[in-house]
Amino acid sequence: SAVISQKPSRDICQRGTSLTIQCQVDSQVTMMFWYRQQPGQSLTLIATANQGSEATYESGFVIDKFPISRPNLTFSTLTVSNMSPEDSSIYLCSVWTETPWEQYFGPGTRLTVT
Amino acid sequence: AQSVTQPDIHITVSEGASLELRCNYSYGATPYLFWYVQSPGQGLQLLLKYFSGDTLVQGIKGFEAEFKRSQSSFNLRKPSVHWSDAAEYFCAVGAVDTGRRALTFGSGTRLQVQP
């Protein structure tokens, strides 16, 4: 299993600013993911972040808006840039473990943009 | 590409009654299937998963799910619901035959439990 922590747990930000969300895992994992969960909605994958390579973004998400770093096998950051109210969501970090084959989620970062 | 449909947006059951949450998936090969639960203000907790083998899988908190390939379904069941089961439930599908590990989630079913 994997235990994931995220910082901050929540934040209120002004439009036009940027917020960096940190994700820390208690074990080394190859695959990390960032999801967005808009209010009352399901989870949408933003990008896959593997250590040692550039993040792979899903359709509709771009690196300039959501830059991701993955400096090692236990840590990643997601930055939400030039925020607008439409970015108000819960952002979840997730990891895939090979033993067992499972995907684990962090507690999420609740972002409100005013 | 894979997709998941959860036809029921909201379900209300009485405490002690049985529960079935529906999930239909679309994927060209053998999928791997998951059910997660999200309580208010909480992250996602894995209830159970299916990769292969026995099509009836047991999970935590007394939940089980049955994989039916002919119906492309993976419905979640519980024989007797407790008030603490009130939450949002998500079905998710992943691809076994590719290197992609990220899951695709359904829209979720919100479960309300009446006393």
Side-chain angles (χ1 to χ4, degrees), chain A residues 16-72:
Chain A
T17 63
S18 298
L19 176 71
T20 295
I21 303 168
Q22 299 179 6
C23 175
Q24 181 75 51
V25 189
D26 69 341
S27 58
Q28 294 185 335
V29 292
T30 301
M31 290 188 176
M32 295 182 76
F33 311 99
W34 287 97
Y35 286 84
R36 182 176 72 182
Q37 186 177 23
Q38 294 178 301
Q41 303 296 314
S42 185
L43 284 77
T44 300
L45 180 67
I46 297 172
T48 300
N50 292 337
Q51 195 268 339
S53 62
E54 295 289 324
T56 303
Y57 289 83
E58 298 296 300
S59 176
F61 297 95
V62 295
I63 187 172
D64 290 345
K65 175 68 175 177
F66 298 101
I68 290 171
S69 77
R70 181 80 201 273
N72 57 53

Side-chain angles (χ1 to χ4, degrees), chain B residues 23-60:
Chain B
C23 171
N24 293 97
Y25 69 90
S26 174
Y27 185 61
T30 301
Y32 50 82
L33 296 158
F34 299 78
W35 275 99
Y36 286 86
V37 60
Q38 185 179 38
S39 299
Q42 303 295 312
L44 274 78
Q45 182 180 22
L46 177 65
L47 287 175
L48 47 78
K49 63 185 179 185
Y50 171 79
F51 291 150
S52 63
D54 192 347
T55 56
L56 182 64
V57 295
Q58 303 296 322
I60 62 172

Side-chain angles (χ1 to χ4, degrees), chain B residues 5 8 22 43 62 64 66 71 93 100-101:
Chain B
T5 300
D8 304 306
R22 295 184 291 167
E64 66 177 26
E66 186 171 11
Q71 299 177 19
V93 64
R100 180 181 172 92
R101 294 288 183 263

